[in-house]
Amino acid sequence: MKDLLGKYGIKQIGFYVKNLEESAKMFNELIGAGPFVDLGVSEPASLTYRGKDSGMRSRCALGHIKDVQIELIEVVTDEPDVYKDNGFGIHHLCIWSDDVDAVAEEFKAAGVEVAMEMVSGQGLKVVYMDAREQLGCFIECNEPIEQLWQGAKALHENAQEGTPALIPMSALMGGK
């Protein structure tokens, strides 16, 4: 496991939260993270949870504290999912790879099974591997999303006093 996490590096820490607005405000006030970019409710093209199709939907927001990206995830459906598996709090460490399937195979060989596979509505492949036994959380792997990562980081670096803790995606694109 150590060799695999070291090989890919950790790009993000994900938190499963009850309420995106309250959590963004709390992370901002307590540790200076954010502002968080509200990505809205996801509508995945496909999603399987432990080998079965799922209609799970979530609302996510991305923010930064220095070079660490923080993802906040609020589930908006009652479908079974990897978020409820671990409860509220730290949910995952995220790594990036151009070959998500190969990474899933590497982790499987190390004794870490795939718990959820998803293709986002925008075509991003995401896999959650269940490393709770080894790490106490999941490992998420997705294809690199450098532009979004850099945009959220720039918002953090340029945030001024009074910037809301949670802002719409349009703000990342230069809107309000």
Side-chain angles (χ1 to χ4, degrees):
M1 174 88 65
K2 175 179 76 172
D3 293 339
L4 291 174
L5 287 176
K7 176 180 177 180
Y8 294 104
I10 296 168
K11 298 298 285 188
Q12 173 195 91
I13 302 171
F15 292 83
Y16 174 40
V17 301
K18 289 181 184 180
N19 180 286
L20 220 53
E21 286 82 7
E22 291 173 10
S23 297
K25 184 177 180 193
M26 180 197 70
F27 273 83
N28 184 263
E29 291 173 355
L30 291 178
I31 64 172
F36 287 85
V37 179
D38 186 344
L39 303 178
V41 175
S42 69
E43 293 292 333
S46 66
L47 190 150
T48 58
Y49 167 74
R50 304 212 181 265
K52 297 180 180 176
D53 289 341
S54 173
M56 189 278 298
R57 299 292 181 264
S58 61
R59 181 176 164 216
C60 300
L62 300 176
H64 275 256
I65 178 74
K66 302 293 182 195
D67 285 333
V68 177
Q69 185 173 80
I70 306 290
E71 180 180 26
L72 305 177
I73 306 120
E74 175 186 344
V75 174
V76 298
T77 58
D78 290 329
E79 299 278 333
D81 59 70
V82 293
Y83 306 110
K84 294 180 193 94
D85 281 355
N86 215 34
F88 295 109
I90 292 179
H91 179 264
H92 67 261
L93 304 175
C94 180
I95 60 177
W96 288 356
S97 174
D98 290 323
D99 192 343
V100 173
D101 292 328
V103 171
E105 287 300 319
E106 286 181 282
F107 275 89
K108 185 177 180 179
V112 181
E113 295 292 327
V114 169
M116 188 171 90
E117 295 181 77
M118 177 179 73
V119 176
S120 75
Q122 295 76 32
L124 181 71
K125 174 116 183 193
V126 181
V127 172
Y128 284 94
M129 296 160 286
D130 193 345
R132 290 178 296 165
E133 186 176 304
Q134 297 89 344
L135 293 174
C137 66
F138 287 84
I139 297 170
E140 174 186 21
C141 181
N142 54 256
E143 297 159 344
I145 46 175
E146 189 69 36
Q147 191 172 16
L148 183 57
W149 195 92
Q150 290 294 341
K153 183 179 180 203
L155 277 176
H156 170 69
E157 292 171 341
N158 297 308
Q160 298 178 5
E161 190 69 33
T163 300
L166 185 66
I167 59 176
M169 178 66 164
S170 60
L172 186 62
M173 308 307 284
K176 293 189 179 204

